Amino acid sequence: MTSILLEVKNLRKEFGGVIAVKDCSFNVKENQIIALIGPNGAGKTTMFNMITGYIQPTKGKIIYQEKEITRYAPQKRVKIGFSRTFQQVKIFQNMTILENMLVAMKNNEVPWATIFSPQKVKVQEEENTAKAKELLKMVKLEGKENKLAKNLSYGQQKLLEIVRAVAVECTLLLLDEPAAGVNLTMLKTIKELLLTLKKKGLTILFIEHNMEFVMDIADTVVVMDYGEEIAVGTPKEIRKNKRVIEAYLGT
Amino acid sequence: MAWNFLGADYLLHLIIMIGIYVMVSASLNLMIGYTGMLNLGHVGFFGIGAYTSVLLTHPVYGLGLPFSVGLLGGAAMALLGGYFIGIPSLKLRGDYLAIATLGFGEIMRAVFKNWQSLTRGPLGIPAIPKATIFGYTLATKESMAMVVIVATLICLIVLWKIIHSPFGRTLKAIREDEIAAISLGKEVRRYKMTALCISACIAGIAGVFYAHYISFIDPTTFSFSESVIFVCMVILGGMGSFWGSVLGAIVIILLPQPLRFLGFHADIVGALRQILFAAILITMMLWKPQGLISEETITEEKETKEKAAESGTA
Amino acid sequence: MSLIAQVLANAIIAGGIYAVIAIGYSLIYSVLKFINFAHGEIVMIGAFIGWTVAVHWHQHLFIATLAAMICCGLLGFLIEKIVYKPFRKKNKLYVLLTAIALSFLLQGIAIVLFGAKVRTFSTGNIIKGHEVFGAVITTTQFIIITVSLIFVFMILLFIKKTKTGKAIRAVAENQDTAAAVGINVDRIISIIFILSSMLAAVSGILIGYEQNINPTMGTMIGIKAFTAAVVGGIGSVPGAFLGGYLIGFAENFGILFVPAGYKDAISFVILLIMLYVKPTGILGKKTEEEVRV
């Protein structure tokens, strides 16, 4: 039995009377790929933002490694092993690809680091650069290190954002629609990347609309509708689930 | 040389002023250009540095301590000022932050003007002692110019090192996308605070040199319009471009110089200077918001050079 | 007792003037989401046009006010069309900087045209005041209080009741939606600039009657009125009204407790506290940006 990494317990979010997420609960097991799916307006993004700490839940608990983290700030969640991407790509447009990667990594970030210990910084930068290049290779962005991020295609920007999130050295990787607006070749790259990361021991939770992508790589699928989880199971189980079919076909 | 007829004294004066303003604009660029925080109250730090040092060193109106104590004190107080203004204002973004810093600058001016037992208020403080360094008094313009140049270079080197460190890279990331920086675990507020304090400290040092060079300060020197001129230097040179802020300061000092020789009344010269700066700022914003030396051209140049190198080896 | 009454009277006079200017800031912010820094300079220009017509050309005050309103309205219209319009949908920092530069420019031009000298509307006769509850208030001050209140309520009514007012609110809410339902957004923005600038002209003349005028007066008055708009909740017209009086009261009552020289600083301290506690101001709405990720 793998142990539970993240527990979402009766999470609820109201926006001035409108209930976006209604007492939703599910578990994320260690070293699994979990997909969070559901029709538009099901509350997936709100859920995602509550887990990552960008929105405060009205009620309920988030437990990570047996510790309650419901009120942790986003940065604090990164410290305990979270890392996320955004639905709308958020990369540092006017910085190079390498710089984008290096920002995410562990650095000595005292302002006078380069003044008092330049040698240490240099060594650390070299190590980080090597690591960054390795990661970039995984998404076929090698050789473009010194390009400004804004000169990448949309799909490449998306890939960069994902590897940048990986560079944070996380335990739980949270991706908001990693496959949206990405062409087939890149989709394959992303799939391979996620499976490699899983092999390396990462746990991945993502929101996605592309069903093929979800069914291909997810170990567990959580389906949300009207702010509630209506089904949890393997892709096979979900495909046969009546409530899920109803939710998607609508009434 | 065309400068000869103007006299060596005048030339030295320009060098000293440029040095002081380069410190100001380079420090302000750390905030505006690299961290993306519009600061409209930078003159407040400049003023804190000036007044602190004068009050520490002045033999009549102050404590009569050596210049080095004044310099350290001015830098420290400006840094402290940065910290205090940072607490309420750094949670703000964009124009709100700009307004908060503007408010800070105006509050500082009110303090300079009204704490008369200390600052002599609108009368100002005259006969500020010359700067001394290692017991040597900088009585001549030449010696002052030398010291200001050295001080400016030190400030520039420190800023260069900071900007080109992992810390500086994170500042840029915060400017580019604050939320993304948070998602990478960066304590954004702490970074901004550090940048603000460094920026304030260097502006304070510039203020110290200004006071001891001009030898007279009064509250009108530290008005909002001075902050706007500071911002103008950064914009003109290029936000986020290291050499841009240096160039900006030089141009802003030199450009209005001919106005002095047109024989207008001082008020009109001031107004014309103001019109000139305003016109520069508007023109830049409309047609070249990235400034004379833009950050991008630097990176792109690097890129094309690398490409050329690549194709050369291939 | 009479001291308190006098301070109260001064607070109402100052508050009324701040409110009229603050409404201009708020109106423009509500639609274009930027601080029109040059608004204070419009106030100054209004005062100088009024002075030129009334004192220099010896015309009736009514004509002077009308002239100032028309000229400033036109100026506001032109400023928006020529300077601000190219910045729409661009970086907000740029337009803010441009507005600051514009305020600098207008001030410089005014110094060149009128000189840095202080001017006054007063005829030199000592005006006898009336005693109201122990406070001495001159006829001019009565007029200032009434006129500012009339204008504030007129603008509130205009926004609430008229068709154009409704269109303004729609554009403030969402420009794209407003355009989609057939509102001419450009026209509304022009109207807002004309309206705000006319209000600024009126307040400039009111200030001229209360104090002296000079080409640099706009900066301080502008910043304070802007503070009032922020404290009340920028983008909200009733908020600007409230903020205007709040700043007027705080300043005038504040100097009972701190040296009078700090009068100008009082509003900035309030501003910093307000920005710390509730950046959106008393009546301000939470912006979308803060809620959304």
Side-chain angles (χ1 to χ4, degrees):
Chain A
M1 253 315 263
T2 41
S3 61
I4 290 164
L5 183 68
L6 181 84
E7 234 179 305
V8 175
K9 268 189 176 169
N10 300 318
L11 220 52
R12 187 186 184 90
K13 181 66 194 179
E14 294 169 22
F15 288 113
V18 181
I19 301 170
V21 172
K22 197 159 95 194
D23 305 318
C24 194
S25 311
F26 61 86
N27 294 337
V28 175
K29 283 182 193 153
E30 229 166 66
N31 202 14
Q32 274 206 336
I33 298 182
I34 319 285
L36 189 57
I37 66 166
N40 280 329
K44 301 182 301 283
T45 301
T46 308
M47 174 53 102
F48 196 83
N49 283 332
M50 284 195 282
I51 295 175
T52 47
Y54 287 73
I55 295 178
Q56 286 291 315
T58 318
K59 235 175 67 189
K61 277 182 186 171
I62 302 168
I63 294 157
Y64 175 77
Q65 291 177 332
E66 285 156 14
K67 216 158 101 201
E68 192 188 330
I69 57 153
T70 319
R71 307 270 159 210
Y72 275 32
Q75 298 100 308
K76 207 171 167 192
R77 289 178 211 229
V78 177
K79 292 223 164 64
I80 56 169
F82 281 50
S83 186
R84 73 165 289 180
T85 64
F86 296 85
Q87 202 170 326
Q88 250 123 26
V89 181
K90 281 188 180 296
I91 51 169
F92 308 120
Q93 301 279 351
N94 290 307
M95 293 167 77
T96 65
I97 292 170
L98 185 62
E99 280 178 316
N100 264 277
M101 295 297 287
L102 292 177
V103 169
M105 297 176 143
K106 279 212 173 63
N107 295 297
N108 175 8
E109 300 207 1
V110 253
W112 22 90
T114 39
I115 300 173
F116 295 119
S117 48
Q119 204 49 43
K120 267 190 203 162
V121 173
K122 209 180 149 206
V123 171
Q124 174 199 58
E125 288 283 285
E126 276 164 8
E127 282 173 11
N128 281 346
T129 306
K131 257 193 249 168
K133 283 188 175 166
E134 226 171 89
L135 281 168
L136 288 170
K137 212 171 186 173
M138 290 167 79
V139 291
K140 305 189 168 70
L141 283 174
E142 73 268 28
K144 295 194 170 89
E145 287 86 3
N146 292 319
K147 243 187 169 188
L148 286 186
K150 66 174 176 194
N151 295 334
L152 291 178
S153 73
Y154 179 75
Q156 287 174 322
Q157 293 192 354
K158 207 130 192 181
L159 290 175
L160 174 61
E161 198 196 15
I162 297 172
V163 275
R164 192 185 64 186
V166 177
V168 177
E169 287 181 22
C170 56
T171 324
L172 176 63
L173 182 63
L174 300 119
L175 309 172
D176 197 346
E177 300 197 13
V182 165
N183 70 27
L184 280 178
T185 354
M186 280 180 190
L187 208 62
K188 223 180 120 209
T189 315
I190 295 178
K191 264 187 214 167
E192 279 162 15
L193 175 71
L194 296 191
L195 292 172
T196 319
L197 291 172
K198 187 191 161 190
K199 250 182 236 154
K200 287 191 174 172
L202 253 65
T203 309
I204 301 164
L205 170 73
F206 68 89
I207 299 182
E208 194 42 74
H209 282 291
N210 184 333
M211 279 311 130
E212 211 191 305
F213 182 83
V214 170
M215 296 303 169
D216 266 9
I217 66 163
D219 299 304
T220 308
V221 179
V222 177
V223 190
M224 280 182 78
D225 193 23
Y226 293 110
E228 281 177 296
E229 90 282 0
I230 56 168
V232 179
T234 63
K236 244 188 209 163
E237 291 164 3
I238 293 299
R239 220 175 292 190
K240 286 184 224 149
N241 189 305
K242 260 197 189 142
R243 276 193 76 185
V244 175
I245 296 165
E246 265 170 34
Y248 268 92
L249 294 177
T251 40
Chain B
M1 277 273 286
W3 290 110
N4 278 346
F5 80 96
L6 299 169
D9 243 28
Y10 180 63
L11 190 58
L12 286 168
H13 167 74
L14 287 181
I15 290 174
I16 294 168
M17 291 309 279
I18 286 172
I20 290 168
Y21 277 78
V22 164
M23 286 190 241
V24 172
S25 91
S27 67
L28 187 58
N29 196 16
L30 183 70
M31 277 191 81
I32 299 180
Y34 290 96
T35 325
M37 303 186 280
L38 180 54
N39 175 355
L40 291 179
H42 211 49
V43 77
F45 306 124
F46 188 71
I48 291 176
Y51 268 101
T52 306
S53 175
V54 169
L55 291 174
L56 286 172
T57 57
H58 205 290
V60 183
Y61 305 114
L63 300 175
L65 296 168
F67 173 74
S68 51
V69 178
L71 182 61
L72 284 176
M77 283 302 282
L79 191 145
L80 218 62
Y83 184 75
F84 278 115
I85 184 61
I87 295 170
S89 53
L90 284 187
K91 70 171 194 173
L92 305 166
R93 257 183 257 162
D95 37 8
Y96 279 103
L97 174 68
I99 294 311
T101 51
L102 190 163
F104 161 74
E106 286 302 313
I107 290 172
M108 282 326 297
R109 193 165 63 103
V111 171
F112 299 149
K113 200 166 143 191
N114 292 294
W115 197 347
Q116 300 195 352
S117 57
L118 205 62
T119 64
R120 290 176 32 102
L123 294 174
I125 305 177
I128 296 166
K130 293 275 172 231
T132 52
I133 222 118
F134 306 124
Y136 174 74
T137 308
L138 308 175
T140 61
K141 274 205 169 122
E142 285 88 348
S143 56
M144 186 65 186
M146 288 290 279
V147 171
V148 168
I149 288 171
V150 171
T152 308
L153 283 178
I154 293 173
C155 286
L156 283 179
I157 292 169
V158 168
L159 280 170
W160 174 270
K161 289 276 182 192
I162 289 172
I163 288 160
H164 294 89
S165 72
F167 171 81
R169 187 168 55 214
T170 302
L171 288 187
K172 255 167 91 181
I174 291 169
R175 176 197 69 189
E176 287 297 308
D177 196 324
E178 206 172 315
I179 290 170
I182 290 172
S183 84
L184 301 175
K186 306 295 176 193
E187 301 282 350
V188 168
R189 191 115 45 111
R190 220 190 64 217
Y191 281 89
K192 285 185 172 177
M193 182 64 103
T194 314
L196 169 60
C197 287
I198 295 168
S199 177
C201 180
I202 293 177
I205 292 171
V208 172
F209 281 107
Y210 175 86
H212 289 270
Y213 169 61
I214 299 288
S215 82
F216 172 78
I217 52 169
D218 73 340
T220 57
T221 317
F222 308 103
S223 64
F224 169 61
S225 56
E226 203 66 16
S227 277
V228 176
I229 293 171
F230 294 169
V231 172
C232 199
M233 298 191 289
V234 175
I235 305 287
L236 177 68
M239 283 183 270
S241 146
F242 189 81
W243 298 113
S245 59
V246 175
L247 180 68
I250 295 172
V251 174
I252 291 290
I253 292 289
L254 293 184
L255 212 55
Q257 294 303 325
L259 293 177
R260 285 169 183 250
F261 306 107
L262 294 177
F264 285 124
H265 187 264
D267 284 340
I268 302 293
V269 172
L272 289 175
R273 208 167 76 110
Q274 199 169 328
I275 293 171
L276 182 69
F277 292 153
I280 291 176
L281 203 50
I282 294 174
T283 317
M284 294 306 286
M285 286 289 102
L286 278 171
W287 289 289
K288 210 171 180 336
Q290 67 274 32
L292 293 176
I293 305 178
S294 67
E295 194 192 356
E296 262 176 52
T297 40
I298 298 170
T299 353
E300 268 165 5
E301 251 171 47
K302 210 166 81 187
E303 224 180 280
T304 40
K305 260 185 210 160
E306 267 162 28
K307 260 186 204 156
E310 261 172 46
S311 56
T313 51
Chain C
M1 190 55 216
S2 74
L3 173 72
I4 298 295
Q6 191 64 55
V7 173
L8 187 68
N10 292 344
I12 294 173
I13 295 164
I17 292 173
Y18 288 145
V20 176
I21 307 171
I23 285 174
Y25 276 106
S26 237
L27 265 180
I28 293 172
Y29 192 93
S30 73
V31 170
L32 288 172
K33 305 287 178 281
F34 89 95
I35 302 156
N36 178 20
F37 227 91
H39 198 61
E41 264 53 51
I42 307 275
V43 173
M44 177 269 292
I45 289 169
F48 269 92
I49 293 170
W51 176 84
T52 310
V53 176
V55 180
H56 205 66
W57 295 346
H58 305 291
Q59 296 300 318
H60 192 271
L61 180 62
F62 182 74
I63 297 171
T65 311
L66 206 64
M69 283 175 79
I70 292 169
C71 292
C72 285
L74 190 69
L75 184 65
F77 171 79
L78 290 175
I79 285 175
E80 194 276 321
K81 280 274 179 266
I82 298 168
V83 187
Y84 293 151
K85 206 175 169 194
F87 288 104
R88 268 194 234 157
K89 310 217 160 163
K90 271 202 198 162
N91 193 333
K92 256 167 50 182
L93 206 68
Y94 294 172
V95 65
L96 178 65
L97 286 167
T98 309
I100 293 171
L102 191 66
S103 118
F104 237 55
L105 184 75
L106 293 174
Q107 198 183 82
I109 293 173
I111 296 174
V112 173
L113 288 181
F114 298 100
K117 223 164 70 185
V118 167
R119 315 279 174 158
T120 169
F121 275 81
S122 84
T123 44
N125 304 329
I126 293 164
I127 305 157
K128 222 184 96 205
H130 313 267
E131 222 186 280
V132 186
F133 302 120
V136 180
I137 302 173
T138 64
T139 314
T140 351
Q141 289 175 325
F142 266 121
I143 295 172
I144 292 171
I145 295 172
T146 341
V147 169
S148 58
L149 275 176
I150 289 172
F151 273 96
V152 166
F153 283 109
M154 262 167 46
I155 204 86
L156 281 175
L157 271 178
F158 176 76
I159 301 269
K160 266 245 134 58
K161 298 284 177 204
T162 66
K163 213 177 146 199
T164 318
K166 276 179 194 146
I168 290 176
R169 275 184 292 154
V171 174
E173 199 68 45
N174 189 325
Q175 282 193 28
D176 298 329
T177 323
V181 297
I183 294 171
N184 185 342
V185 175
D186 278 348
R187 209 183 115 242
I188 293 295
I189 290 174
S190 291
I191 289 175
I192 284 173
F193 266 86
I194 294 168
L195 216 60
S196 312
S197 305
M198 285 169 117
L199 285 177
V202 172
S203 51
I205 290 172
L206 294 182
I207 293 166
Y209 268 88
E210 175 64 4
Q211 311 159 355
N212 298 321
I213 61 170
N214 67 72
T216 51
M217 67 190 258
T219 316
M220 196 40 86
I221 296 237
I223 297 174
K224 279 197 216 163
F226 163 73
T227 301
V230 172
V231 169
I234 193 135
S236 148
V237 173
F241 172 66
L242 187 71
Y245 279 98
L246 203 79
I247 293 292
F249 272 73
E251 258 185 17
N252 285 286
F253 279 94
I255 51 171
L256 294 177
F257 305 102
V258 296
Y262 283 105
K263 192 174 171 184
D264 289 344
I266 291 171
S267 51
F268 298 119
V269 173
I270 294 176
L271 174 73
L272 285 183
I273 295 171
M274 195 69 208
L275 287 175
Y276 186 62
V277 180
K278 191 170 183 284
T280 46
I282 299 170
L283 297 183
K285 279 185 286 186
K286 238 185 166 186
T287 57
E288 238 182 299
E289 191 191 42
E290 280 171 278
V291 186
R292 263 206 346 231
V293 179

